[in-house]
Amino acid sequence: VGWIGPPQRYRCLERVISRALGKTDTAIAKVSDLAKSSGPGAAEALVNLIEEQAPLGHPIPFAQVQALEAYLTERCDSPEAPRFERALILAKAASGDFDGALTGLHTSPTGGAIVWQLLAKNGPNSAFLSHASLKADDPVPEAAKGSAVQIAERMLGLGLSDQAALWLAQADHAPATLTARVKLALGDAQAALSLLKSQESAEAMQLRAQAYQTLGNPKQAAELYAKLGQRQDQWHAMRQARDWPGLGAQGPAPWKALAELAINPASLPDAAKGQLAQDMALIDLSAATHDAIVALLDQTKASIPVLQ
């Protein structure tokens, strides 16, 4: 069972050579046709194909999963069975059947790292959350730890910062920026700053600016936004810091107008000139402030992209 004749052996040898040379696409192409055939080497070729394609995240059609199930049934008591079991688990994961793949790991755990990698990267949210959600005291599968960073990042993207923190704790080397993002999401801005204090990448500066704003230090945030060239964020942070002179000097026209009003508000006439003169001065100041705010809102509205 599973005998491979000379032509098939040659094609499998070509696959091994191509793989050794790093030509994965060539290796897949060499064995793909053989896997679709009904010849004696089809079963072995299909296993080879799954072993090449699944780790790359290539989708596996359900027909190939069915074929592997049939091949495994034929070999259930043979020395080949463990390899076919592993291939079937990988095929199920690559076809989207993560329930079946993870259940299969109970009896054939050798493909576990790839299954968790595929779940973290390609699994639909329903399967991902069903299998990757943790409780604080849950044991974490050893095979999943290699994908802990990917799982944490995806959990954070879904707004589940508590889950992201649990998975980050399983990672051997978690990126400081990801850890800082999780800390910010959990409301620990000071911890995020501590993690990034020596980092000057664009992502790190962005996170530090957000942390400073959370901690009520918009002036430091404005300085970082200025370095990043994020002018709108810079001006908003300067407004939060009430840096009217800075806005008057660096801000765009609407900000300059508001800053000027904040620095040098129109003075009211002496009471001796009468109530009417004071009322008219107030009306002029109110109108100027209104015009400046409308201009600023119009500019902000124009900078917001329209979502289709």
Side-chain angles (χ1 to χ4, degrees):
V1 175
W3 178 85
I4 302 178
Q8 289 83 5
R9 286 183 183 277
Y10 177 73
R11 294 179 73 173
C12 285
L13 179 61
E14 283 187 312
R15 168 188 173 271
V16 172
I17 294 172
S18 297
R19 186 177 184 183
L21 293 174
K23 299 177 181 177
T24 307
D25 291 341
T26 303
I28 290 172
K30 292 290 184 184
V31 78
S32 182
D33 290 342
L34 181 57
K36 296 175 184 176
S37 73
S38 57
E44 178 70 19
L46 182 55
V47 171
N48 290 338
L49 186 63
I50 298 301
E51 289 175 341
E52 292 285 358
Q53 288 187 315
L56 299 175
H58 292 184
I60 301 298
F62 183 61
Q64 291 184 342
V65 177
Q66 290 179 308
L68 273 172
E69 287 175 333
Y71 291 143
L72 178 58
T73 299
E74 295 170 357
R75 294 162 175 77
C76 61
D77 295 322
S78 76
E80 296 175 292
R83 186 176 175 217
F84 276 77
E85 287 177 0
R86 180 179 183 276
L88 179 58
I89 288 169
L90 297 183
K92 285 182 176 181
S95 72
D97 180 11
F98 288 99
D99 290 344
L102 288 164
T103 298
L105 290 178
H106 295 312
T107 55
S108 180
T110 58
I114 296 174
V115 172
W116 278 96
Q117 176 187 332
L118 292 174
L119 177 65
K121 185 177 180 181
N122 300 325
N125 284 343
S126 56
F128 175 74
L129 292 174
S130 174
H131 295 289
S133 295
L134 296 175
K135 294 180 181 177
D137 55 350
D138 278 349
V140 176
E142 194 65 32
K145 292 183 179 181
S147 298
V149 170
Q150 285 179 297
I151 295 173
E153 187 154 15
R154 186 165 174 185
M155 285 293 187
L156 186 60
L158 292 170
L160 302 173
S161 52
D162 289 341
Q163 286 293 317
L166 289 174
W167 277 102
L168 271 187
Q170 303 300 321
D172 291 333
H173 302 288
T177 50
L178 177 58
T179 306
R181 286 168 56 202
V182 172
K183 294 295 185 183
L184 273 174
L186 292 172
D188 193 350
Q190 190 59 59
L193 279 178
S194 298
L195 283 164
L196 301 173
K197 60 184 177 183
S198 60
Q199 297 201 23
E200 292 296 326
S201 68
E203 184 181 7
M205 286 196 290
Q206 177 81 37
L207 291 169
R208 283 164 56 202
Q210 293 173 13
Y212 277 128
Q213 285 188 294
T214 301
L215 292 169
N217 297 320
K219 183 177 180 181
Q220 290 91 331
E223 293 172 357
L224 288 168
Y225 286 133
K227 289 181 180 180
L228 291 166
Q230 296 176 203
R231 297 305 175 196
Q232 290 289 347
D233 292 323
Q234 176 191 353
W235 296 325
H236 280 293
M238 291 170 75
R239 177 188 59 78
Q240 289 177 328
R242 299 182 179 275
D243 183 6
W244 307 124
L247 278 172
Q250 302 176 45
W255 283 113
K256 287 180 183 291
L258 278 176
E260 182 63 28
L261 287 170
I263 297 169
N264 299 306
S267 58
L268 297 178
D270 293 336
K273 294 185 178 181
Q275 187 62 45
L276 180 59
Q278 288 185 322
D279 291 344
M280 291 302 294
L282 278 173
I283 291 172
D284 289 342
L285 176 59
S286 177
T289 304
H290 173 272
D291 292 343
I293 292 173
V294 168
L296 179 60
L297 291 174
D298 286 343
Q299 183 195 64
T300 303
K301 186 189 301 181
S303 68
I304 299 175
V306 177
L307 299 177
Q308 298 293 336

